[in-house]
Amino acid sequence: GDGVTADMIDEMARKHWPLCMRNLHDTLRKERHLKHYGRLQYGLFLKVIGLSIEEAIVFWRKAFGNITDDKFSKEYKYNIRHSYGLEGRRHNYPAKSCQMILTTNQPGVSESHGCPYRHFSPDNLEAALLSTYGSQGFTRNDLPEIMSDVKSSHYHVACTRVFEITHGIKKGEGIGGGESVTHPNQYTARSRELEK
Ligand code: SF4
């Protein structure tokens, strides 16, 4: 990893997470819980960001503040260690790509994983974009273009355009050299690079 600690995550989320991960992060903070596929999608993303296994355990233990240590150890710790390849088959699972997130394990009504561009209703997506990115220069005027991409099922195009708007980048530049968003970790890596 590159020295990311649990207490850095809130600020990094505000600056650098794509909407799927902001949704998971904000839901975790609001509800002090995430369902299985949400923990999996967010946990693997955080691993690739550079959160060590020790820091991941600190992060999730604090996030689920309302449960006992015993329950945490029994029900969650094993799965966190498993996703770091430290239990079971010891497979070091990669973080999910946009393609995987868009096409597998479709979220049910009370679940927060998935891609908001695809899985939110139009009203909820508009509200989420304004509240999430309003402080990063995203305005109501940007909505029609995004919603039109979404309507034609070009979710990664919508996500890429939001990246451009919130990073003050010219349309068509994408996440660099005209490239589109294909992975949440790629979105975040590029966002962090631009900050340097
Ligand atoms: Fe996340 Fe990819 Fe959807 Fe963007 S397009 S919100 S990075 S799943």
Side-chain angles (χ1 to χ4, degrees):
D2 54 2
V4 174
T5 56
D7 60 8
M8 290 162 66
I9 299 297
D10 284 304
E11 192 190 338
M12 288 177 72
R14 272 195 305 277
K15 289 183 178 169
H16 304 303
W17 282 190
L19 197 56
C20 53
M21 299 304 169
R22 270 300 292 273
N23 180 49
L24 286 165
H25 186 79
D26 294 349
T27 304
L28 178 62
R29 289 294 182 243
K30 199 170 80 203
E31 296 178 4
R32 307 199 83 182
H33 189 256
L34 278 181
K35 297 208 164 162
H36 174 74
Y37 284 116
R39 294 198 303 274
L40 192 62
Q41 182 175 321
Y42 197 31
L44 291 172
F45 168 83
L46 292 175
K47 177 177 78 171
V48 173
I49 294 301
L51 197 68
S52 66
I53 180 62
E54 292 79 16
E55 288 296 319
I57 287 168
V58 170
F59 174 82
W60 289 104
R61 181 66 192 98
K62 280 190 183 159
F64 295 164
N66 49 354
I67 60 169
T68 62
D69 283 337
D70 193 44
K71 186 176 160 81
F72 180 77
S73 291
K74 281 191 185 129
E75 294 181 25
Y76 303 110
K77 208 169 165 179
Y78 178 90
N79 283 323
I80 298 166
R81 288 179 47 81
H82 190 269
S83 66
Y84 276 75
L86 299 169
E87 302 282 0
R89 287 200 299 132
R90 298 187 169 256
H91 179 70
N92 198 4
Y93 297 90
K96 291 180 195 295
S97 65
C98 297
Q99 188 63 18
M100 286 283 289
I101 292 171
L102 284 162
T103 58
T104 62
N105 306 316
Q106 302 301 291
V109 277
S110 62
E111 293 178 306
S112 308
H113 65 280
C115 171
Y117 296 102
R118 171 159 196 185
H119 297 120
F120 278 19
S121 70
D123 283 355
N124 285 349
L125 177 58
E126 291 192 359
L129 284 166
L130 291 171
S131 68
T132 305
Y133 295 121
S135 60
Q136 285 162 274
F138 189 94
T139 72
R140 210 159 266 290
N141 297 336
D142 297 312
L143 286 175
E145 183 185 359
I146 302 302
M147 298 313 287
S148 146
D149 289 335
V150 166
K151 210 172 162 196
S152 45
S153 307
H154 294 144
Y155 310 112
H156 68 287
V157 176
C159 187
T160 304
R161 186 68 192 122
V162 169
F163 181 94
E164 291 170 344
I165 293 165
T166 56
H167 292 79
I169 289 169
K170 213 167 72 236
K171 182 170 176 170
E173 276 292 298
I175 60 159
E179 217 184 306
S180 291
V181 175
T182 56
H183 198 296
N185 285 99
Q186 161 220 38
Y187 180 114
T188 293
R190 183 67 183 139
S191 176
R192 292 179 73 195
E193 250 172 61
L194 286 171
E195 192 188 37
K196 282 176 193 155

